[in-house]
């Protein structure tokens, strides 16, 4: 255990690390685990660190070894930490969403939504997604023409919202061109969530009332999609959305069309809770990953050149023809291994979530795979410090560098070949992220339709803080839920590229 204060736990030691390493105050909290590793390497070599950050957070066991993480996430998937459902997401979904529920309830929900998030189904939805990316293209062209500095994360947020609207609900939310009542309300409600102690939010006497209002508005917005899909299931032509496939079992059990409009209220409430978490996670995390991908490509023109060459090879030399080609054959996205490698390397360097948090049962131990030492965990939150593992030079050569090629390696003896259990930005095991294939499809699609026409040039001020070698580091935005976002929304100038340049 690191030096401990009777009154302040490990907060004093963590404060000293912040001062010593000159960590900017807005850096996302999940990076503190990496600095604990730098400050106390002899402890991290044991595979875990006990961390007491009460009252800011819950006492925990932070794990650093990939095979120790596998013990409670893959080999024995422990329940999610109780505070997720009972405290943090309770006002948002009642703690009844796919992220927080456990046991048979989770298994039934996962089985209900798995078909909609399958790779095959998502590819069938690509033609609809293309329509939204063309709007994104238009916005980038306008920004390039004006020459103004824009916050790229605002743009990537809007496009990812519109794509998930098509994939989940089968509707055009048009967030890129006009205000959306559904998403503006959801963003307002998300701003009330806090994953670490936030007295301003905790003590706000209006917070319960605002949550009640927001939940009512969102229900009124989403319920018609569910009811309409149930009533008109057979009339849906072509690809089925996530909601449509989730309703398949209900439709099959209700062959009488006249009864389908009477969807049980409890079913609607349950579906809305899941949809809300999909809408949140599906845009919030993907938007910042996409912004970081553009930033990393701008900082590594050699990698951008390789990416564009792949798109020329798969889609032909004319970027303007790419959209129609992908519409006609969405499987072309599967023929872009370097594009996928760029995404995977971006996620390795800048994962939006710091790791999973699980609940330890009585008598539970974690065992170091090499030493055999057993560590007690009962009464503590168990945390997989994924953000630290993904930059650990023990497993990742040149760990802080942007090297998409490491995900192109097929020889297991190659030093760049990813070590088993180490690549986990979507986590692993049965409770891995259900939306990871959607992230993969939409980011490959967006990059394929934009990187040959545009490039970005960061426009951070001259004296902007530099941390971990970049001005575009991950921050905690107090106005939104505490997933990691890109610093200042990534101010950039959009540049149009001449064809062939």
């Amino acid at each position: 255990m690191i030096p401990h204060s009777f009154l302040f736990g490990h907060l004093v030691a963590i404060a000293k690390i912040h001062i010593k390493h000159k960590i900017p105050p807005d850096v996302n909290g999940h990076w503190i685990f990496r600095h604990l590793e730098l400050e106390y390497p002899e402890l991290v070599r044991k595979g875990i660190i006990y961390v007491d950050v009460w009252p800011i957070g819950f006492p925990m066991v932070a794990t650093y070894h990939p095979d120790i993480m596998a013990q409670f996430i893959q080999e024995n998937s422990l329940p999610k930490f109780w505070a997720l459902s009972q405290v943090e997401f309770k006002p948002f979904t009642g703690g009844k969403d796919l992220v927080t529920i456990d046991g048979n309830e989770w298994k039934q929900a996962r089985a209900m939504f798995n078909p909609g998030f399958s790779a095959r189904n998502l590819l069938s939805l690509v033609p609809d997604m293309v329509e939204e990316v063309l709007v994104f293209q238009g916005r980038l062209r306008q920004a390039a023409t004006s020459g103004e500095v824009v916050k790229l994360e605002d743009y990537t947020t809007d496009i990812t919202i519109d794509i998930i609207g098509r994939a989940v609900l089968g509707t055009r939310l048009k967030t890129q061109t006009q205000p959306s009542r559904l998403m503006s309300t959801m963003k307002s409600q998300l701003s009330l969530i806090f994953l670490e102690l936030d007295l301003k939010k905790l003590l706000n006497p209006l917070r319960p009332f605002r949550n009640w209002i927001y939940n009512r508005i969102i229900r009124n917005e989403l319920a018609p999609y569910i009811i309409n899909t149930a009533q008109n299931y057979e009339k849906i032509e072509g690809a089925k959305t996530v909601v449509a496939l989730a309703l398949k079992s209900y439709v099959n059990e209700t062959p009488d069309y006249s009864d389908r409009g009477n969807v049980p209220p409890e079913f609607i409430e349950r579906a809305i809770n899941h949809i809300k978490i999909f809408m949140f996670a599906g845009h919030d995390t993907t938007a910042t990953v996409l912004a970081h991908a553009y930033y990393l490509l701008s900082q590594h023109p050699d990698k951008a050149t390789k990416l564009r060459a792949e798109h020329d090879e798969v889609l032909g030399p004319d970027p303007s023809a790419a959209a129609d080609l992908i519409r006609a054959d969405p499987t072309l996205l599967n023929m872009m291994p370097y594009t996928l490698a760029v995404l995977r390397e971006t996620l390795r360097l800048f994962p939006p979530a710091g790791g999973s948090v699980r609940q330890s049962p009585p008598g539970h131990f974690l065992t170091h795979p090499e030493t055999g030492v057993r560590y007690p965990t009962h009464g503590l939150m168990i945390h997989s410090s994924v953000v630290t593992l993904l930059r650990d030079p023990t497993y990742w050569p040149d760990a802080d560098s942007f090297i998409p090629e490491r995900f192109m390696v097929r020889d297991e003896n190659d030093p760049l070949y990813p070590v088993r259990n180490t690549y986990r930005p979507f986590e692993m095991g049965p409770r891995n992220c259900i939306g990871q294939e959607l992230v993969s499809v939409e980011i490959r699609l967006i990059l394929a339709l934009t990187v040959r026409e545009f490039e970005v040039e960061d426009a951070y001020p001259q004296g902007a803080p530099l941390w971990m070698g970049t001005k575009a580091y991950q921050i905690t935005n107090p106005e939104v839920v505490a997933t990691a976002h890109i610093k200042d929304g990534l101010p950039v100038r959009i540049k149009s590229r001449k064809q062939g340049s």
Side-chain angles (χ1 to χ4, degrees):
M1 185 182 291
I2 63 181
H4 188 270
S5 164
F6 178 76
L7 291 178
F8 302 107
H10 290 136
L11 294 178
V12 174
I14 290 172
K16 290 179 178 177
I17 290 174
H18 272 264
I19 295 169
K20 178 179 178 179
H21 293 273
K22 299 179 180 178
I23 302 176
D26 58 354
V27 166
N28 189 270
H30 64 214
W31 286 104
I32 190 59
F33 295 101
R34 185 170 191 263
H35 283 80
L36 286 170
E37 179 184 43
L38 297 174
E39 194 69 14
Y40 303 101
E42 72 286 354
L43 292 180
V44 171
R45 280 195 293 270
K46 299 178 184 296
I48 73 164
I49 287 183
Y50 291 96
V51 184
D52 176 12
V53 290
W54 185 264
I56 292 176
F58 297 96
M60 72 179 75
V61 179
T63 59
Y64 289 81
H65 195 291
D67 293 336
I68 293 180
M69 295 180 189
Q71 291 172 30
F72 66 93
I73 289 175
Q74 293 144 258
E75 299 164 14
N76 178 22
S77 181
L78 295 182
K80 290 297 184 78
F81 189 61
W82 67 269
L84 282 175
S85 62
Q86 298 303 310
V87 179
E88 292 155 359
F89 284 94
K90 191 172 184 64
F92 186 58
T93 62
K96 294 293 184 180
D97 59 80
L98 199 61
V99 170
T100 61
I101 57 178
D102 282 298
N104 288 331
E105 188 179 12
W106 171 80
K107 290 179 182 178
Q108 292 171 6
R110 181 82 180 215
M112 183 169 69
F113 286 103
N114 270 337
F117 285 104
S118 69
R120 180 179 179 180
N121 188 62
L122 291 172
L123 283 178
S124 72
L125 295 169
V126 163
D128 290 339
M129 298 182 194
V130 168
E131 191 172 8
E132 306 301 340
V133 181
L134 293 179
V135 178
F136 182 62
Q137 276 185 340
R139 296 187 74 193
L140 294 180
R141 289 192 192 106
Q142 291 177 356
T145 301
S146 71
E148 296 177 352
V149 173
V150 298
K151 289 190 175 184
L152 189 59
E153 193 181 38
D154 290 345
Y155 286 48
T156 60
T157 297
D158 290 342
I159 175 60
T160 52
I161 287 173
D162 283 351
I163 284 180
I164 201 163
R166 297 296 286 260
V168 174
L169 301 175
T171 190
R172 299 202 68 182
L173 295 175
K174 299 182 179 179
T175 311
Q176 299 182 89
T177 57
Q178 64 188 38
S180 164
R181 187 168 189 241
L182 172 62
M183 290 312 302
S184 62
T185 303
M186 193 171 294
K187 287 179 179 180
S188 296
Q189 186 171 27
L190 286 168
S191 71
L192 300 179
I193 295 176
F194 54 95
L195 305 183
E196 298 174 351
L197 181 64
D198 186 323
L199 292 177
K200 183 179 178 181
K201 294 181 181 180
L202 178 65
L203 301 178
N204 182 352
L206 296 179
R207 192 166 67 97
F209 177 72
R210 289 175 63 190
N211 272 311
W212 182 82
I213 291 291
Y214 295 149
N215 280 327
R216 186 172 181 179
I217 292 172
I218 292 171
R219 188 196 185 285
N220 290 339
E221 289 284 324
L222 291 177
Y225 291 110
I226 298 170
I227 296 170
N228 184 63
T229 301
Q231 287 178 318
N232 300 287
Y233 192 85
E234 281 80 4
K235 298 178 184 178
I236 300 174
E237 297 181 358
K240 296 286 198 298
T241 65
V242 171
V243 167
L245 289 178
L247 284 168
K248 184 177 181 179
S249 60
Y250 170 78
V251 169
N252 290 341
E253 293 168 3
T254 316
D256 188 339
Y257 285 83
S258 61
D259 288 341
R260 288 186 186 170
N262 301 315
V263 183
E266 60 274 13
F267 185 96
I268 293 177
E269 293 301 327
R270 188 163 66 249
I272 286 174
N273 289 334
H274 296 310
I275 292 169
K276 286 175 73 174
I277 211 73
F278 296 152
M279 299 294 288
F280 154 54
H283 88 270
D284 184 80
T285 55
T286 310
T288 188
V289 170
L290 181 58
H292 266 121
Y294 282 120
Y295 175 77
L296 287 166
L297 291 168
S298 75
Q299 301 299 301
H300 300 85
D302 57 324
K303 311 299 184 186
T305 297
K306 288 185 68 172
L307 186 68
R308 291 174 180 126
E310 178 175 82
H311 296 166
D312 285 343
E313 180 181 350
V314 176
L315 301 171
D318 181 7
S320 65
D324 288 337
L325 288 170
I326 294 173
R327 270 199 194 104
D329 184 9
T331 62
L332 288 171
L333 296 176
N334 293 334
M335 300 169 62
M336 302 176 186
Y338 194 73
T339 308
L340 180 59
V342 166
L343 166 60
R344 299 191 75 190
E345 182 71 343
T346 302
L347 280 162
R348 186 187 69 82
L349 291 170
F350 297 104
S356 185
V357 289
R358 301 298 176 94
Q359 182 73 39
S360 171
H364 185 267
F365 288 80
L366 294 173
T367 304
H368 195 289
E370 282 103 41
T371 66
V373 175
R374 301 172 74 235
Y375 299 101
T377 64
H378 178 50
L380 302 171
M381 177 174 73
I382 311 179
H383 170 59
S384 59
S385 185
V386 168
V387 71
T388 304
L389 178 62
L390 291 172
R391 293 229 190 190
D392 191 333
T394 304
Y395 308 106
W396 304 96
D398 206 0
D400 290 329
S401 296
F402 180 61
I403 309 175
E405 290 76 8
R406 70 176 86 239
F407 293 104
M408 304 286 285
V409 172
R410 295 295 175 262
D411 181 1
E412 294 185 18
N413 296 316
D414 191 307
L416 283 180
Y417 189 84
V419 176
R420 183 175 69 97
N421 287 335
T422 57
Y423 187 73
R424 48 203 316 141
F426 295 110
E427 258 310 349
M428 304 180 84
R431 298 205 62 158
N432 61 359
C433 175
I434 194 174
Q436 59 184 293
E437 188 61 34
L438 175 59
V439 175
S440 177
V441 168
E442 65 180 304
I443 289 189
R444 280 181 288 162
L445 172 64
I446 294 169
L447 292 178
L449 295 183
T450 57
V451 294
R452 289 188 292 172
E453 184 176 349
F454 308 102
E455 56 190 12
V456 304
E457 177 184 276
D458 85 77
Y460 283 105
Q462 187 74 27
L466 189 72
W467 186 68
M468 288 181 61
T470 180
K471 295 178 179 178
Y473 57 84
Q474 288 183 312
I475 67 166
T476 293
N477 184 341
E479 298 304 315
V480 295
V481 70
T483 51
H485 285 254
I486 196 166
K487 172 69 174 176
D488 293 338
L490 185 57
V492 299
R493 287 186 175 84
I494 308 294
K495 305 284 187 179
S496 292
R497 299 180 67 253
K498 294 181 181 180
Q499 187 173 340
S501 64

